[in-house]
Amino acid sequence: MLTITQALHDQIVAHAREDHPDEACGVVAGPEGTDRPERFIPMLNAARSPTFYEFDSGDLLKLYRELDDRDEDPVVIYHSHTATEAYPSRTDISYANEPGAHYVLVSTADTDDAGPFQFRSFRIVEGVVTEEDVKVVDAY
């Protein structure tokens, strides 16, 4: 299960809405060895595409150095889907290389008549996608 604060949840959703119609992407870092997302790190979608996201390689290198310096892990890796449901695509699955991370997808398309967005979390390990519950809390 992903446990995330309301503030972080809202920041991820706001980033997805802000970058629409392009896909948004980013990371939420947490203390190394924990499963606690704490630090919101919005990234630039280098592809600038409504159907694909890509972290800029230079930004990604800088991010991983910063995480290492701060003794943090990428606890959440998020991106948005602008026209489809919040479920990992084949491309998303093939690029998922952090087995310990929660892969959060936000859909800014109203694909299920449930409202203006979906917020879902998945574990993706060796190509296997497992949806997990999301618990939004006021604070840890």
Short mmCIF file of all heavy atoms in Angstrom, two decimals, residues 77-100:
data_model
loop_
_atom_site.label_atom_id
_atom_site.label_comp_id
_atom_site.label_asym_id
_atom_site.label_seq_id
_atom_site.Cartn_x
_atom_site.Cartn_y
_atom_site.Cartn_z
N ILE A 77 7.51 7.28 -8.19
CA ILE A 77 7.80 7.80 -9.53
C ILE A 77 6.43 7.98 -10.17
O ILE A 77 5.64 7.03 -10.24
CB ILE A 77 8.67 6.82 -10.34
CG1 ILE A 77 10.02 6.63 -9.63
CG2 ILE A 77 8.85 7.32 -11.77
CD1 ILE A 77 10.89 5.54 -10.20
N TYR A 78 6.13 9.21 -10.57
CA TYR A 78 4.79 9.48 -11.08
C TYR A 78 4.82 10.06 -12.49
O TYR A 78 5.80 10.66 -12.91
CB TYR A 78 4.02 10.40 -10.13
CG TYR A 78 4.46 11.85 -10.16
CD1 TYR A 78 3.91 12.74 -11.08
CD2 TYR A 78 5.41 12.33 -9.28
CE1 TYR A 78 4.31 14.06 -11.11
CE2 TYR A 78 5.82 13.64 -9.31
CZ TYR A 78 5.26 14.51 -10.24
OH TYR A 78 5.67 15.82 -10.27
N HIS A 79 3.73 9.84 -13.18
CA HIS A 79 3.48 10.55 -14.43
C HIS A 79 1.98 10.55 -14.69
O HIS A 79 1.21 9.89 -14.01
CB HIS A 79 4.29 9.98 -15.60
CG HIS A 79 3.79 8.71 -16.18
ND1 HIS A 79 4.02 7.48 -15.62
CD2 HIS A 79 3.07 8.47 -17.31
CE1 HIS A 79 3.48 6.54 -16.37
NE2 HIS A 79 2.89 7.12 -17.41
N SER A 80 1.59 11.31 -15.69
CA SER A 80 0.17 11.42 -16.00
C SER A 80 -0.13 10.81 -17.36
O SER A 80 0.74 10.69 -18.21
CB SER A 80 -0.27 12.89 -15.97
OG SER A 80 0.42 13.65 -16.94
N HIS A 81 -1.38 10.41 -17.51
CA HIS A 81 -1.93 10.04 -18.81
C HIS A 81 -3.00 11.07 -19.11
O HIS A 81 -3.83 11.37 -18.26
CB HIS A 81 -2.54 8.64 -18.76
CG HIS A 81 -1.54 7.54 -18.81
ND1 HIS A 81 -1.89 6.22 -18.80
CD2 HIS A 81 -0.18 7.57 -18.89
CE1 HIS A 81 -0.80 5.47 -18.87
NE2 HIS A 81 0.25 6.27 -18.91
N THR A 82 -2.97 11.62 -20.31
CA THR A 82 -3.86 12.74 -20.63
C THR A 82 -5.13 12.32 -21.35
O THR A 82 -6.08 13.09 -21.38
CB THR A 82 -3.11 13.77 -21.48
OG1 THR A 82 -2.70 13.16 -22.70
CG2 THR A 82 -1.90 14.31 -20.74
N ALA A 83 -5.15 11.12 -21.93
CA ALA A 83 -6.32 10.71 -22.69
C ALA A 83 -6.78 9.29 -22.36
O ALA A 83 -7.76 8.82 -22.92
CB ALA A 83 -6.03 10.81 -24.19
N THR A 84 -6.07 8.63 -21.48
CA THR A 84 -6.41 7.25 -21.13
C THR A 84 -6.47 7.09 -19.62
O THR A 84 -6.08 7.99 -18.87
CB THR A 84 -5.37 6.25 -21.70
OG1 THR A 84 -4.08 6.58 -21.17
CG2 THR A 84 -5.33 6.32 -23.23
N GLU A 85 -6.92 5.92 -19.19
CA GLU A 85 -7.02 5.68 -17.75
C GLU A 85 -5.63 5.65 -17.10
O GLU A 85 -4.61 5.52 -17.78
CB GLU A 85 -7.75 4.36 -17.49
CG GLU A 85 -6.96 3.13 -17.85
CD GLU A 85 -7.63 1.85 -17.40
OE1 GLU A 85 -8.18 1.81 -16.29
OE2 GLU A 85 -7.59 0.88 -18.17
N ALA A 86 -5.61 5.73 -15.80
CA ALA A 86 -4.36 5.71 -15.03
C ALA A 86 -3.94 4.26 -14.82
O ALA A 86 -4.13 3.67 -13.76
CB ALA A 86 -4.55 6.43 -13.69
N TYR A 87 -3.38 3.67 -15.88
CA TYR A 87 -2.87 2.31 -15.83
C TYR A 87 -1.61 2.25 -16.68
O TYR A 87 -1.57 2.85 -17.75
CB TYR A 87 -3.90 1.29 -16.35
CG TYR A 87 -3.49 -0.14 -16.07
CD1 TYR A 87 -3.79 -0.73 -14.86
CD2 TYR A 87 -2.75 -0.86 -17.00
CE1 TYR A 87 -3.39 -2.03 -14.57
CE2 TYR A 87 -2.33 -2.16 -16.73
CZ TYR A 87 -2.65 -2.73 -15.51
OH TYR A 87 -2.24 -4.01 -15.23
N PRO A 88 -0.55 1.56 -16.22
CA PRO A 88 0.71 1.56 -16.96
C PRO A 88 0.58 0.99 -18.38
O PRO A 88 0.00 -0.08 -18.58
CB PRO A 88 1.63 0.67 -16.12
CG PRO A 88 1.00 0.62 -14.77
CD PRO A 88 -0.47 0.78 -14.98
N SER A 89 1.12 1.72 -19.33
CA SER A 89 1.17 1.24 -20.71
C SER A 89 2.32 0.25 -20.86
O SER A 89 3.16 0.11 -19.96
CB SER A 89 1.40 2.42 -21.67
OG SER A 89 2.71 2.93 -21.48
N ARG A 90 2.40 -0.41 -22.00
CA ARG A 90 3.52 -1.32 -22.25
C ARG A 90 4.85 -0.57 -22.15
O ARG A 90 5.83 -1.09 -21.64
CB ARG A 90 3.38 -1.97 -23.62
CG ARG A 90 2.34 -3.07 -23.65
CD ARG A 90 2.43 -3.87 -24.94
NE ARG A 90 2.34 -3.02 -26.11
CZ ARG A 90 1.31 -2.97 -26.94
NH1 ARG A 90 0.28 -3.74 -26.73
NH2 ARG A 90 1.31 -2.17 -27.98
N THR A 91 4.87 0.67 -22.67
CA THR A 91 6.09 1.47 -22.59
C THR A 91 6.42 1.79 -21.14
O THR A 91 7.58 1.68 -20.73
CB THR A 91 5.93 2.77 -23.40
OG1 THR A 91 5.59 2.44 -24.75
CG2 THR A 91 7.20 3.60 -23.38
N ASP A 92 5.43 2.18 -20.35
CA ASP A 92 5.65 2.46 -18.92
C ASP A 92 6.27 1.25 -18.23
O ASP A 92 7.21 1.38 -17.44
CB ASP A 92 4.34 2.82 -18.21
CG ASP A 92 3.68 4.08 -18.74
OD1 ASP A 92 4.36 4.92 -19.35
OD2 ASP A 92 2.45 4.21 -18.54
N ILE A 93 5.73 0.09 -18.53
CA ILE A 93 6.21 -1.15 -17.89
C ILE A 93 7.65 -1.43 -18.30
O ILE A 93 8.49 -1.78 -17.47
CB ILE A 93 5.28 -2.33 -18.24
CG1 ILE A 93 3.89 -2.09 -17.64
CG2 ILE A 93 5.86 -3.65 -17.76
CD1 ILE A 93 2.80 -2.99 -18.21
N SER A 94 7.96 -1.23 -19.57
CA SER A 94 9.32 -1.53 -20.05
C SER A 94 10.36 -0.59 -19.45
O SER A 94 11.52 -0.97 -19.30
CB SER A 94 9.38 -1.50 -21.57
OG SER A 94 9.24 -0.19 -22.06
N TYR A 95 9.95 0.65 -19.09
CA TYR A 95 10.89 1.61 -18.53
C TYR A 95 10.95 1.58 -17.00
O TYR A 95 11.75 2.29 -16.40
CB TYR A 95 10.55 3.03 -18.99
CG TYR A 95 10.92 3.30 -20.43
CD1 TYR A 95 10.10 4.07 -21.23
CD2 TYR A 95 12.09 2.80 -20.98
CE1 TYR A 95 10.44 4.32 -22.55
CE2 TYR A 95 12.43 3.04 -22.29
CZ TYR A 95 11.60 3.81 -23.08
OH TYR A 95 11.94 4.05 -24.38
N ALA A 96 10.10 0.80 -16.37
CA ALA A 96 10.06 0.75 -14.90
C ALA A 96 11.28 -0.02 -14.39
O ALA A 96 11.35 -1.24 -14.51
CB ALA A 96 8.77 0.08 -14.44
N ASN A 97 12.25 0.70 -13.82
CA ASN A 97 13.49 0.04 -13.40
C ASN A 97 13.81 0.26 -11.92
O ASN A 97 14.93 0.08 -11.50
CB ASN A 97 14.67 0.51 -14.28
CG ASN A 97 14.88 2.01 -14.20
OD1 ASN A 97 14.20 2.69 -13.45
ND2 ASN A 97 15.82 2.53 -14.97
N GLU A 98 12.82 0.66 -11.15
CA GLU A 98 12.99 0.83 -9.70
C GLU A 98 12.02 -0.12 -9.00
O GLU A 98 10.89 0.26 -8.68
CB GLU A 98 12.70 2.28 -9.28
CG GLU A 98 13.75 3.28 -9.68
CD GLU A 98 15.03 3.16 -8.85
OE1 GLU A 98 15.03 2.49 -7.80
OE2 GLU A 98 16.03 3.74 -9.28
N PRO A 99 12.42 -1.37 -8.74
CA PRO A 99 11.47 -2.34 -8.18
C PRO A 99 10.91 -1.98 -6.81
O PRO A 99 9.86 -2.45 -6.44
CB PRO A 99 12.29 -3.64 -8.12
CG PRO A 99 13.71 -3.23 -8.22
CD PRO A 99 13.75 -1.93 -8.96
N GLY A 100 11.58 -1.10 -6.07
CA GLY A 100 11.09 -0.71 -4.76
C GLY A 100 10.16 0.49 -4.78
O GLY A 100 9.58 0.84 -3.77
#
